[in-house]
Amino acid sequence: MEINVKTRKNLQIRAFYLFFIVTSLQLGVGIIGAPKLIYLEALQDAWISILIAFIYIIVVIAVMFIILNQYENADIYGIQVDIFGTFLGKLLGTIYILHFAISFFSILITYIEIIRVYMFPAISNIAIGFLLLSLVVYSVLGGFRVMVGVCTLFFIFSHWIVFLLVHPFTQMDITHLQPMFVSSFPELLSGAKTTSYTFMGFEILLLVYPFIQNKKKARFPAFLAISWTTFLVLLTTIIVIGYFSYQQIARREWVLLGLFKIQNLTFIERFDYIVVAQWMMIILPNLIFLMWGITFGMKRMYQIRQKTTLYVSAVIFLVASIFFDKHFVIQNLIDFSARYGFWLVYVYPFVLLPLVLLKKYRRNKKAGESHEK
Amino acid sequence: MNRRKKTGKGNIFPLQIEDLESLLKSKFKNNPDLSFTTYERKNEKVAVFYIDYQVEADKVEDFLLEPLLGEKIEWTNDSILNEIPLSSGKTYEKLDDILKNLLIGAVFIYCESEKSVVSYLLSKKENRSLQQSETESLVLGPKIGFTESMTTNLNIIRWSVRSEDLVLEKYIIGKREPREVRLIYLKSIANETDINTMRQRLQELDVDVVDDSAVLMQYIEDSTTTIFPQFFTTELPDRFSYNINRGKLGVLVENSPTAIIAPSTFFSFFESTEDLYMRWNVGTFLRVLRYLSFFLSTLLTPLYVAAVTFHYEIIPTPLLINLGQSRAAVPFPPILEALFLELMIELLRESGARLPTKVGQTIGIVGGVVVGTAAVEAGVTSNVLIIFVALSALASFTAPNYLMGTTVRILRFPMIILGGLLGIVGIFFGASLLIIHLLRLTSLGRPYLSPIYPLVVEDFNKVLYRLPNQFQNQRFKSYRPKDLQRYANKDAKEKKDIDE
């Protein structure tokens, strides 16, 4: 297996698209429920937890960049094979694929559940699942450039939602955020940990990095993306805390959607319906890139055609979605995804870093020795 | 079979004039229009032959027969070519060439015992005079439109783009019925890759006949399955030269008044040269209005259907009361009602386009006013929906390009069905599908949605809106023209204090 990815020049993208990719992948279904979860852990100091998470993620991303820059043009699948050898490397790669698959599936069924709860209680999972998966398949078939285009355009088309927060923002009760600094440090940390599912998605960097044209400029858009998502999570959390009382937050599952109900115009009463439908454009880039990650990984490690994986996994996801229609099952899946995803996304890079550096050091030494000879 | 082919391809001369006559007559067995005359002088014989209505009879008389039958001239090819006061004399030897040129109006002179035949192209072609284009109309700017004649069109183009850079490459396309196709561009500006791609597509085209430029366009398009036109078409020379001057390629087809512009983006179909003739702020307003009407026309009726069918919570109570009263008498579900009305509008449009102008207007009034009012009174549709449908129909006609306007109108139908089946989720599904589809399209290998994706912010002011001229000094960057700069940015404002 090739360690480095050979990318055709016309498939490569400019570095600033990384902003759209990372933001689109971080924002998903997580942010809908995140304000509540963080609030329950860290109370009105939730914003500190988010900032802690932000700083931690910056460190993780910096580590990812260091790892990636040790290679010419490699992705995580290649790097793991290089470090751990073929068998272990492919095993770890497969874990990554599983991680993408579970993330994909958790996003898919959560969104389907939201649609069921908000709009069509009787509709079957398979109908909505079919619609979403057909869109995913259609865009993945278009190739990498189309997928990046989907991220970019859907980012532009869906961010008007932020303006709906203006009205609740003006109605906030600032005393809900006071007194500050009541939570202990462990509470803040566990609040930061609950954000892990929401902020997940930037690990796609390990896959798309070989496709970037001007790699030297890649850092800034990546950090900007992290900052933007953090800002959005922070904003929504503060507004949620300021607008709702403790009981109201604790009672609601998707507390963010409740916020969108507040704004109304003379011709539109309930924006939350539109937002729920609009959310399709927010989760689609997630699904598309995760699906691509699965197919690309299978191709890299097992030489299976991407189209084959694409069709097969789409059918598997569709069939599986039938069995996940109970709320607690879905919640369990999300919890599971968040729990192991934490280790894979937030901790594993720190394990990988010294190994990669060691390997490089040895390789350089060897090259130096042979040069001397 | 093989021998006949040989006679067609090889030299058939010298031969007796009688033999030539019988050979040609046999080729034109059922066409009585071949005029074949033999003249004799002393021992020499000469034959003149052509097809009656394809040549200018006056010219044949004055410039060809008169000198030919005069005393001075010798009846040999050399002296004929020298003495006859016409340019463009050619000699042919092969039967195929003779037949081909006969059909486009050549006059042939054969002197017996010569090894080839002399021909002059004196073709006569009936043309319509220059008229205003009917499919695309402008309020400001030049009114003249292209015609069916290639020479006229080339003449117009040469007058509007008077540059030695202008290249008019010639291609002959069509096996059975060869037609002249011209690839037109400015060689110092147009992108080399685009030119090569277009050349290749034209050269590799292997069809029997190209009926019209719209047909040629479908042969050379990137995607054959999509509903969206990928090349801009125009009948207006000013739109044509506007695009050529900005580094695009133009394709003209013989016998077609429509020119193809490539590469085009989704947004080129909403651009009108009129935006340039207006002041920049007015032009911006009009352009934004056109984009808005694209959204209105595809989404308004579907949103109504979705809201009334599934989500009446979205509509505020006072408005909902109105809607409810209007819909109270209607026994159909909204989706049927909307489809019925939309179909009716389409019927009106189609019949209006097919009927003669005067009758068309009458039908418009009968259909629009009488049927519309009657439909509401009969309780088949609601008032509000009629407003929506009429609005979206109006909006669809704002696209300056007829092809795009039609596409937009048809897009509405799947959207209505999606809205009727799945409410607003269905509409967002449709919109997502549309965006992904547009992202996948290319025009001559260039992304269809540029400059939105790939994102080139510098180009926004040429496509989405317009800015004053000091910001317009560059060409469309997304297409990578050879020469990006239109003019130096001298006009950039210096910072001045009051009354300085």
Side-chain angles (χ1 to χ4, degrees):
Chain A
M1 190 186 142
E2 285 279 321
I3 310 284
N4 289 312
V5 185
K6 286 196 188 83
T7 46
R8 284 210 313 276
K9 186 100 174 126
N10 60 346
L11 277 183
Q12 290 188 335
I13 53 166
R14 279 175 290 165
F16 75 88
Y17 287 116
L18 208 55
F19 171 75
F20 296 109
I21 298 175
V22 173
T23 322
S24 305
L25 269 121
Q26 282 194 299
L27 296 174
V29 290
I31 192 174
I32 299 180
K36 170 197 172 180
L37 299 175
I38 309 167
Y39 179 66
L40 292 187
E41 293 292 336
L43 294 176
Q44 59 264 49
D45 291 335
W47 57 275
I48 306 177
S49 294
I50 294 171
L51 288 180
I52 293 172
F54 172 60
I55 292 163
Y56 186 75
I57 291 170
I58 284 186
V59 177
V60 174
I61 291 230
V63 167
M64 282 180 178
F65 271 115
I66 296 172
I67 293 175
L68 287 166
N69 282 334
Q70 303 307 314
Y71 291 84
E72 191 188 326
N73 206 22
D75 61 354
I76 186 70
Y77 299 127
I79 292 173
Q80 288 185 141
V81 168
D82 185 46
I83 301 290
F84 301 109
T86 314
F87 177 74
L88 208 56
K90 282 191 178 177
L91 185 74
L92 284 165
T94 315
I95 290 178
Y96 255 98
I97 289 181
L98 279 176
H99 162 66
F100 290 139
I102 292 174
S103 303
F104 181 100
F105 194 59
S106 72
I107 293 170
L108 182 73
I109 53 173
T110 311
Y111 184 62
I112 295 177
E113 197 197 4
I114 293 173
I115 287 185
R116 281 218 319 270
V117 169
Y118 264 79
M119 292 188 186
F120 305 109
I123 204 163
S124 78
N125 276 5
I126 208 160
I128 303 288
F130 178 77
L131 289 186
L132 291 172
L133 282 166
S134 60
L135 285 180
V136 171
V137 169
Y138 188 56
S139 23
V140 174
L141 281 178
F144 191 71
R145 289 186 63 99
V146 171
M147 289 157 45
V148 179
V150 172
C151 280
T152 313
L153 286 193
F154 283 5
F155 177 90
I156 296 168
F157 283 132
S158 57
H159 264 64
W160 62 270
I161 293 179
V162 177
F163 292 105
L164 294 181
L165 294 174
V166 172
H167 189 65
F169 186 77
T170 57
Q171 308 274 309
M172 259 171 58
D173 184 354
I174 205 75
T175 54
H176 285 183
L177 290 163
Q178 292 162 333
M180 288 202 250
F181 312 114
V182 287
S183 306
S184 66
F185 194 64
E187 279 169 343
L188 289 178
L189 280 188
S190 72
K193 204 185 164 195
T194 50
T195 62
S196 67
Y197 182 76
T198 315
F199 282 130
M200 225 186 272
F202 59 86
E203 69 270 23
I204 203 74
L205 190 67
L206 295 169
L207 279 190
V208 300
Y209 195 66
F211 290 90
I212 293 165
Q213 224 170 43
N214 37 355
K215 295 197 171 54
K216 279 185 186 139
K217 286 186 184 165
R219 267 160 227 244
F220 179 67
F223 288 125
L224 196 67
I226 302 291
S227 315
W228 179 246
T229 25
T230 311
F231 168 72
L232 286 183
V233 173
L234 200 61
L235 185 76
T236 48
T237 309
I238 289 177
I239 296 178
V240 162
I241 297 171
Y243 191 85
F244 294 113
S245 65
Y246 180 87
Q247 289 81 8
Q248 281 171 323
I249 296 176
R251 213 175 52 224
R252 279 160 217 261
E253 185 64 34
W254 299 305
V255 67
L256 184 59
L257 292 177
L259 277 187
F260 296 121
K261 236 182 263 188
I262 298 154
Q263 176 74 49
N264 57 19
L265 299 175
T266 47
F267 51 95
I268 297 177
E269 182 84 31
R270 293 273 301 267
F271 265 106
D272 52 340
Y273 278 72
I274 298 172
V275 169
V276 165
Q278 175 78 65
W279 218 267
M280 187 189 282
M281 289 197 181
I282 296 176
I283 60 142
L284 266 176
N286 283 275
L287 297 182
I288 289 166
F289 263 88
L290 292 172
M291 181 61 107
W292 174 80
I294 297 167
T295 59
F296 188 65
M298 293 303 270
K299 186 187 182 184
R300 290 270 288 143
M301 291 188 295
Y302 304 109
Q303 283 81 42
I304 300 171
R305 287 183 74 226
Q306 273 183 290
K307 274 189 181 173
T308 320
T309 325
L310 178 65
Y311 294 133
V312 170
S313 43
V315 171
I316 292 173
F317 285 132
L318 186 60
V319 174
S321 71
I322 305 171
F323 304 104
F324 285 79
D325 54 354
K326 300 279 183 300
H327 181 69
F328 72 92
V329 182
I330 298 169
Q331 201 53 51
N332 277 345
L333 185 81
I334 292 177
D335 288 346
F336 174 68
S337 169
R339 213 174 325 122
Y340 84 87
F342 178 78
W343 293 101
L344 190 64
V345 176
Y346 293 86
V347 180
Y348 175 63
F350 293 102
V351 181
L352 201 57
L353 179 68
L355 294 173
V356 170
L357 289 178
L358 196 69
K359 176 107 185 177
K360 199 190 178 191
Y361 173 71
R362 276 196 187 160
R363 197 178 282 156
N364 283 351
K365 212 174 163 190
K366 225 181 212 172
E369 274 170 12
S370 64
H371 188 69
E372 272 170 29
K373 274 175 191 172
Chain B
M1 190 68 203
N2 225 351
R3 274 185 69 188
R4 271 186 69 184
K5 223 176 179 176
K6 236 178 190 171
T7 48
K9 290 271 155 75
N11 190 350
I12 53 166
F13 300 106
L15 81 175
Q16 295 286 313
I17 282 197
E18 290 76 27
D19 294 344
L20 178 66
E21 183 171 7
S22 59
L23 179 63
L24 287 173
K25 285 268 159 74
S26 73
K27 289 280 176 194
F28 283 87
K29 205 186 275 172
N30 294 325
N31 293 315
D33 312 308
L34 180 74
S35 148
F36 194 101
T37 331
T38 315
Y39 302 97
E40 276 187 64
R41 191 167 73 181
K42 291 168 204 163
N43 286 333
E44 293 171 309
K45 267 187 185 175
V46 70
V48 177
F49 54 97
Y50 51 87
I51 292 181
D52 281 342
Y53 44 76
Q54 291 287 73
V55 299
E56 304 248 20
D58 294 352
K59 282 190 185 168
V60 175
E61 291 278 330
D62 294 348
F63 302 120
L64 214 146
L65 288 180
E66 209 164 291
L68 185 68
L69 300 178
E71 291 298 317
K72 280 183 276 179
I73 198 165
E74 274 180 58
W75 284 358
T76 61
N77 279 2
D78 287 342
S79 82
I80 288 174
L81 284 171
N82 283 330
E83 300 283 333
I84 285 188
L86 284 169
S87 62
S88 78
K90 279 178 188 157
T91 57
Y92 292 103
E93 296 167 348
K94 294 171 192 162
L95 187 59
D96 277 359
D97 291 337
I98 295 175
L99 292 177
K100 206 194 288 171
N101 282 298
L102 261 181
L103 291 177
I104 58 169
V107 179
F108 288 87
I109 305 165
Y110 179 60
C111 311
E112 203 169 37
S113 77
E114 276 288 350
K115 285 206 173 70
S116 58
V117 60
V118 181
S119 108
Y120 291 96
L121 199 62
L122 293 172
S123 47
K124 181 171 71 173
K125 203 170 175 191
E126 296 300 338
N127 288 325
R128 89 183 145 107
S129 57
L130 291 178
Q131 276 169 349
Q132 207 169 334
S133 159
E134 293 205 346
T135 49
E136 293 165 83
S137 66
L138 285 177
V139 182
L140 301 175
K143 301 290 185 296
I144 168 183
F146 282 133
T147 70
E148 284 77 4
S149 153
M150 178 65 96
T151 30
T152 318
N153 291 349
L154 293 180
N155 176 278
I156 301 172
I157 291 168
R158 274 284 181 203
W159 277 112
S160 51
V161 187
R162 244 172 289 173
S163 157
E164 73 276 8
D165 269 349
L166 188 71
V167 180
L168 308 149
E169 286 178 21
K170 185 172 169 179
Y171 296 89
I172 304 290
I173 293 177
K175 279 267 167 64
R176 189 158 273 283
E177 202 204 306
R179 289 237 178 140
E180 186 183 339
V181 171
R182 294 284 189 144
L183 172 57
I184 301 166
Y185 56 89
L186 283 173
K187 64 170 175 256
S188 60
I189 300 175
N191 182 297
E192 198 66 42
T193 326
D194 289 349
I195 299 172
N196 287 333
T197 317
M198 193 49 130
R199 264 187 208 144
Q200 195 186 359
R201 286 191 191 173
L202 288 175
Q203 277 161 358
E204 286 176 0
L205 195 61
D206 184 22
V207 287
D208 57 342
V209 54
V210 174
D211 303 280
D212 186 75
S213 59
V215 179
L216 178 74
M217 185 174 89
Q218 290 175 43
Y219 282 133
I220 58 176
E221 264 174 346
D222 298 45
S223 161
T224 49
T225 44
T226 176
I227 190 175
F228 287 93
Q230 289 140 63
F231 295 136
F232 186 73
T233 56
T234 183
E235 287 188 15
L236 298 175
D238 86 311
R239 272 188 198 164
F240 188 81
S241 59
Y242 165 78
N243 282 300
I244 295 293
N245 276 326
R246 274 152 189 76
K248 296 198 182 182
L249 320 180
V251 176
L252 278 179
V253 180
E254 198 183 340
N255 294 355
S256 169
T258 319
I260 304 170
I261 309 275
S264 306
T265 64
F266 174 72
F267 305 102
S268 0
F269 293 90
F270 296 90
E271 257 177 83
S272 168
T273 38
E274 235 172 333
D275 304 344
L276 261 74
Y277 305 148
M278 305 270 187
R279 299 200 52 73
W280 66 274
N281 24 26
V282 183
T284 299
F285 175 78
L286 293 179
R287 202 171 277 184
V288 171
L289 191 71
R290 271 184 236 126
Y291 291 123
L292 196 71
S293 56
F294 170 76
F295 287 107
L296 269 187
S297 145
T298 39
L299 291 178
L300 195 60
T301 328
L303 278 174
Y304 169 85
V305 172
V308 175
T309 318
F310 295 107
H311 325 286
Y312 25 86
E313 302 96 323
I314 289 182
I315 309 163
T317 323
L319 196 61
L320 191 63
I321 293 170
N322 277 346
L323 275 182
Q325 279 170 350
S326 153
R327 265 194 59 76
V330 183
F332 307 119
I335 176 171
L336 275 186
E337 190 193 348
L339 282 178
F340 166 73
L341 259 189
E342 289 285 0
L343 267 179
M344 202 178 87
I345 292 265
E346 283 304 294
L347 275 180
L348 276 176
R349 190 197 53 76
E350 186 63 18
S351 61
R354 298 287 152 252
L355 283 169
T357 329
K358 285 175 188 164
V359 193
Q361 280 174 359
T362 327
I363 291 290
I365 293 166
V366 171
V369 180
V370 180
V371 179
T373 329
V376 174
E377 279 174 9
V380 188
T381 60
S382 62
N383 274 325
V384 183
L385 185 62
I386 285 210
I387 297 173
F388 283 167
V389 169
L391 252 183
S392 52
L394 266 186
S396 74
F397 286 106
T398 56
N401 187 283
Y402 188 73
L403 288 176
M404 188 48 106
T406 321
T407 302
V408 169
R409 273 196 298 283
I410 293 176
L411 278 183
R412 204 183 301 151
F413 287 93
M415 281 293 200
I416 292 175
I417 294 172
L418 279 172
L421 289 180
L422 278 168
I424 201 160
V425 177
I427 289 174
F428 273 94
F429 166 76
S432 306
L433 188 67
L434 199 65
I435 294 171
I436 298 171
H437 179 69
L438 286 172
L439 276 168
R440 290 186 58 159
L441 284 182
T442 52
S443 164
L444 214 65
R446 303 251 169 225
Y448 197 54
L449 275 188
S450 56
I452 299 278
Y453 181 77
L455 203 64
V456 182
V457 182
E458 292 95 322
D459 284 345
F460 278 11
N461 73 348
K462 294 171 195 68
V463 176
L464 300 179
Y465 49 86
R466 262 171 51 72
L467 288 178
N469 275 333
Q470 62 260 37
F471 301 103
Q472 299 269 20
N473 62 331
Q474 289 197 330
R475 297 199 171 84
F476 198 58
K477 202 177 170 188
S478 301
Y479 287 154
R480 306 197 184 133
K482 264 185 214 146
D483 183 9
L484 188 65
Q485 212 70 16
R486 283 179 64 203
Y487 44 83
N489 195 6
K490 272 183 288 188
D491 297 334
K493 287 269 182 294
E494 286 172 40
K495 274 184 185 161
K496 273 187 185 173
D497 204 7
I498 302 167
D499 288 344
E500 211 168 354

